[in-house]
Amino acid sequence: MQMYQSQADDIREGQKPAAIDIKLASGSRLNAEEIEYLKKHNPQALKDYEEEQRERENYKRQLRNCRSKEEVERVKTAKMGEFLSSSPYIPKDQKCAMLKKLLREVMGIQEEHQEFVESAQYAILPDEDEDTKSKKTDNSTDTISSEDNSRTKGEVTTDDEDPLETIRQAIA
């Protein structure tokens, strides 16, 4: 019985690095046991993981400070743009490692973003910033053209105008 138990333990120990690699690649969080394993067997992977966790916490803090859903999307777009702005002059032997790291970072940020979008804090945010709302209001009153003003009530247009846009302008 002890022999089978020891074989099962050996198999679990052999599978541990692969399981940790899968979690790292998917941007998931590691538990305390997995972190301890990395401390002993792969300190560089642990250092990279801790850096990614700091990045996630920073992103989470930025999301909490957003004042609208629109701003949340801008923060995400800016963060993804940061990831993509790496130098094109990377030696080929380093590209694979950098792309794997980039994938882990993107997956982690995506996970944080999804958690925030599903939170109550996100649900109560307005869709647009107050600045955007005021600009839209100002633009809608200023953009009525002289052609629109000269049209008589009930007149049907035959050019390529969007009928929905015509209705929106008439309502405004």
Side-chain angles (χ1 to χ4, degrees), residues 20-60:
I20 292 173
D21 287 344
I22 290 170
K23 280 182 112 174
L24 289 173
S26 67
S28 298
R29 289 191 170 88
L30 300 178
N31 61 36
E33 181 183 330
E34 293 163 335
I35 291 172
E36 277 301 313
Y37 182 87
L38 286 180
K39 277 183 188 177
K40 292 177 185 175
H41 297 95
N42 195 345
Q44 182 59 44
L46 179 62
K47 181 181 172 189
D48 292 343
Y49 172 74
E50 289 171 344
E51 180 182 325
E52 291 162 12
Q53 292 307 301
R54 282 190 295 276
E55 188 74 31
R56 284 175 77 153
E57 287 302 315
N58 183 29
Y59 180 70
K60 191 188 294 188

Side-chain angles (χ1 to χ4, degrees), residues 127-156:
D127 289 337
E128 299 174 332
D129 286 336
E130 291 300 320
D131 296 337
T132 306
K133 282 183 185 178
S134 65
K135 285 179 186 176
K136 282 185 178 180
T137 303
D138 292 346
N139 287 342
S140 67
T141 57
D142 294 343
T143 57
I144 298 175
S145 67
S146 59
E147 180 182 307
D148 292 336
N149 289 335
S150 65
R151 200 176 287 153
T152 60
K153 193 173 188 176
E155 182 180 21
V156 177

Side-chain angles (χ1 to χ4, degrees), residues 29 56 60 110-119:
R29 289 191 170 88
R56 284 175 77 153
K60 191 188 294 188
Q110 181 61 31
E111 188 175 295
E112 288 300 329
H113 184 80
Q114 191 62 36
E115 284 178 23
F116 184 76
V117 167
E118 292 171 356
S119 73

Side-chain angles (χ1 to χ4, degrees), residues 1-94:
M1 187 64 149
Q2 276 184 325
M3 183 177 78
Y4 292 124
Q5 183 64 34
S6 116
Q7 285 178 344
D9 290 342
D10 290 344
I11 291 171
R12 269 188 241 118
E13 279 299 312
Q15 292 175 343
K16 193 174 279 191
I20 292 173
D21 287 344
I22 290 170
K23 280 182 112 174
L24 289 173
S26 67
S28 298
R29 289 191 170 88
L30 300 178
N31 61 36
E33 181 183 330
E34 293 163 335
I35 291 172
E36 277 301 313
Y37 182 87
L38 286 180
K39 277 183 188 177
K40 292 177 185 175
H41 297 95
N42 195 345
Q44 182 59 44
L46 179 62
K47 181 181 172 189
D48 292 343
Y49 172 74
E50 289 171 344
E51 180 182 325
E52 291 162 12
Q53 292 307 301
R54 282 190 295 276
E55 188 74 31
R56 284 175 77 153
E57 287 302 315
N58 183 29
Y59 180 70
K60 191 188 294 188
R61 197 173 313 110
Q62 288 176 327
L63 290 177
R64 279 189 249 128
N65 291 329
C66 289
R67 294 188 177 129
S68 69
K69 293 175 182 175
E70 180 182 35
E71 188 176 353
V72 168
E73 291 305 315
R74 279 196 308 262
V75 167
K76 180 183 178 188
T77 302
K79 180 58 76 180
M80 294 302 164
E82 281 178 33
F83 291 146
L84 298 175
S85 66
S86 63
S87 172
Y89 304 107
I90 301 167
K92 287 184 179 182
D93 59 332
Q94 292 178 1

